[in-house]
Amino acid sequence: MNSRFLRAAVCAAALVTAYGVTWAQQYQEPEPWKEAEVALPTHFSTDKLLIVDIEDRSSFEYGIDPDTLSVGSDGVVRYVFVARSRSGAVNVLYEGVRCDAAEVKVYGRWDPDSAKWRTSSTDEWQSMNVRGSTRRALKLAQTGLCDGRAPNGSPRQILDTLRNGFSYRLR
């Protein structure tokens, strides 16, 4: 009886070892996320904006330039965002949203006086929130940039969703 038990134990140990080695060989730690190289847009338009509803009772009109909307290989949705006041003042930002992390980053601010983008080394990824400076990005993410924790498809799909309406909650 001892030899039967010993043989069964050896077989079981061999199976567990073989399965464990196979599983360990198949499992690989996911690569840490790495941001793609980002070039600021060379052209954008404030005349053909896709208007988005960011705030009720705001004195600003908000929109994105559809021609600048992209989904990077790193999963970041990037676009030129425009805020225009009733008096005609215009603020232009180039920013990106990470749907998987619910974060936003401003890559550049347009300076109309010099006709150049201004960047800052202190611009980092920030959590999107319903209050404060990241509110606009959260609203855009919720109304079409993102579908859960992923980009909402291609730029064309995202634009269609922004035009036609869609709302969900970031998970």
Side-chain angles (χ1 to χ4, degrees):
M1 182 144 150
N2 245 351
S3 78
R4 276 188 182 165
F5 178 76
L6 183 59
R7 276 188 281 187
V10 167
C11 285
L15 285 172
V16 167
T17 301
Y19 177 76
V21 168
T22 302
W23 180 82
Q25 289 170 341
Q26 291 176 352
Y27 178 76
Q28 294 178 355
E29 281 290 323
E31 292 288 323
W33 180 78
K34 184 177 179 189
E35 187 172 7
E37 290 289 322
V38 177
L40 296 169
T42 55
H43 299 86
F44 67 88
S45 173
T46 59
D47 295 329
K48 56 181 183 172
L49 298 178
L50 172 60
I51 303 302
V52 291
D53 183 26
I54 301 290
E55 295 178 358
D56 295 335
R57 295 185 247 137
S58 174
S59 61
F60 284 88
E61 177 182 65
Y62 301 100
I64 61 172
D65 177 356
D67 294 336
T68 63
L69 183 72
S70 68
V71 179
S73 60
D74 54 2
V76 176
V77 181
R78 294 180 179 89
Y79 51 90
V80 168
F81 177 82
V82 177
R84 185 181 357 236
S85 74
R86 290 183 184 160
S87 66
V90 176
N91 290 315
V92 180
L93 303 171
Y94 184 59
E95 60 187 12
V97 167
R98 283 187 64 198
C99 300
D100 65 340
E103 294 178 329
V104 62
K105 180 177 183 179
V106 175
Y107 293 103
R109 292 161 181 79
W110 183 253
D111 179 358
D113 294 333
S114 66
K116 292 183 182 179
W117 289 104
R118 299 248 184 237
T119 60
S120 172
S121 61
T122 60
D123 285 333
E124 296 182 5
W125 289 102
Q126 299 177 24
S127 292
M128 292 187 284
N129 199 313
V130 295
R131 289 183 168 58
S133 64
T134 62
R135 178 180 61 245
R136 70 184 178 283
L138 178 62
K139 183 73 172 188
L140 285 169
Q142 291 175 328
T143 56
L145 295 185
C146 302
D147 183 9
R149 297 182 60 87
N152 185 22
S154 68
R156 172 182 255 159
Q157 172 65 40
I158 291 169
L159 291 169
D160 287 346
T161 303
L162 288 170
R163 281 184 191 106
N164 299 321
F166 170 78
S167 188
Y168 80 100
R169 293 179 185 232
L170 284 175
R171 298 180 268 248

